[in-house]
Amino acid sequence: QSFEAKFKPAAGDTANAEPRKIRLLSISTSGVSYNFEQAKQPGRVGWQTQTLTNTFASDLLPGFNLQVTHDLWRGQVGLASAKFEPFLQSLSASFSVGPRTLSAIASLFGLGHRPQPGSAPEPTQPTPGATPGGPGPRGFVGLGGYRGGSYGGGGGRGFNLNVQFSAQRTRDTGAVIPKTGLQGGRQQMTLGMSFTPTPNWSASWNTNYDFDTRQFGQHYVRLERDLHRWHASFAFSRTASGNFAFNFYVALLDEPDIKFDYDQQSYLRP
């Protein structure tokens, strides 16, 4: 199911062009199956779907996606002993915020500048450690595997924020489970942010937070500085265990062999 809206035509527009549409909300539900032959068997019912997933999306927030999965039955689906009792099993959500996001929302209410059809899409969050312009002659590899190449261009990127959240739950079946301490990873949030404070500076930060252990995971911070024909790069990563890596790199764009780089890494034993 989709809900859409149309933008109002610009004042004085006589082209009679079809107004641009925007998706306010779309809802997609996974399929449900029923087996009539199975229902005839003793101790069985016809239902064959154990879980049901609903997915929500909207153009109002770039990259917005919400997915909810329910376990429909207490017990094994298809057995007469199973009881229909929907249980929230997993939830995942993601969205991004950029310069055009607020502008697009404001335009729906007649505020600010309205995006024109066919305008360039909002830039997306780059892969952690990536730099505009692609890989260069040398990259930095941190403790968590993040890689960043040499710089390939000037500033100009606006602010971008990517947020992802995931949660997993297990239905209580009454079974006795031995306690082994708090286990993380069931509720996590991942953040990725990049911005350009000046035309010659760019910065990015990536991290994740575990709501079960109440601790941050790996941090990755990267700074890029355009020095006309030179480029400087600073990168720092740190894991939850305390291990860290630092890299400083300066190179001449016209002659990448003329460079200076420095690496430092530490490994803490548990």
Side-chain angles (χ1 to χ4, degrees):
Q1 182 68 48
S2 296
F3 301 90
E4 297 181 338
K6 292 183 179 180
F7 284 97
K8 293 182 178 180
D13 184 8
T14 59
N16 295 325
E18 181 69 18
R20 186 168 69 94
K21 294 182 179 179
I22 185 172
R23 178 180 55 176
L24 300 178
L25 178 67
S26 68
I27 306 173
S28 176
T29 304
S30 60
V32 177
S33 61
Y34 186 89
N35 190 322
F36 291 94
E37 295 300 323
Q38 177 179 288
K40 299 176 183 179
Q41 302 176 12
R44 302 296 298 274
V45 295
W47 297 108
Q48 293 184 312
T49 303
Q50 182 74 44
T51 61
L52 185 72
T53 300
N54 288 282
T55 303
F56 305 86
S58 175
D59 291 337
L60 294 178
L61 196 57
F64 170 76
N65 185 277
L66 173 63
Q67 190 173 81
V68 182
T69 300
H70 285 83
D71 182 9
L72 300 179
W73 304 91
R74 177 180 286 275
Q76 181 62 41
V77 63
L79 299 179
S81 58
K83 181 181 179 182
F84 180 72
E85 188 177 313
F87 174 81
L88 179 60
Q89 186 179 69
S90 66
L91 182 148
S92 63
S94 64
F95 66 91
S96 60
V97 177
R100 289 175 53 86
T101 304
L102 298 179
S103 176
I105 296 177
S107 67
L108 295 177
F109 301 95
L111 303 175
H113 174 70
R114 178 176 301 175
Q116 297 298 325
S119 58
E122 180 171 341
T124 57
Q125 171 73 12
T127 303
T131 58
R138 187 184 185 281
F140 165 67
V141 181
L143 296 176
Y146 288 121
R147 176 182 295 273
S150 68
Y151 188 71
R157 290 184 300 157
F159 170 82
N160 286 278
L161 172 66
N162 276 8
V163 181
Q164 297 179 346
F165 174 80
S166 63
Q168 301 287 333
R169 301 177 63 204
T170 302
R171 186 193 292 269
D172 183 11
T173 59
V176 179
I177 302 176
K179 296 182 178 180
T180 58
L182 182 60
Q183 301 294 325
R186 299 180 65 86
Q187 297 185 78
Q188 289 191 339
M189 176 175 290
T190 302
L191 301 174
M193 182 177 64
S194 66
F195 63 97
T196 305
T198 70
N200 295 326
W201 275 102
S202 64
S204 63
W205 172 54
N206 295 272
T207 187
N208 62 75
Y209 182 79
D210 194 311
F211 289 91
D212 298 315
T213 61
R214 297 184 180 180
Q215 293 180 352
F216 280 94
Q218 176 166 302
H219 294 278
Y220 181 78
V221 179
R222 187 175 184 87
L223 299 175
E224 304 280 350
R225 169 64 176 173
D226 187 5
L227 303 171
H228 301 290
R229 303 313 306 165
W230 294 80
H231 179 73
S233 172
F234 312 84
F236 175 82
S237 65
R238 184 181 186 277
T239 66
S241 62
N243 297 328
F244 74 89
F246 173 76
N247 171 266
F248 172 70
Y249 179 68
V250 178
L252 180 64
L253 296 179
D254 297 327
E255 186 55 55
D257 291 335
I258 302 178
K259 63 182 179 179
F260 170 79
D261 56 0
Y262 172 80
D263 292 307
Q264 181 181 359
Q265 299 187 15
S266 71
Y267 296 93
L268 301 179
R269 295 181 178 179

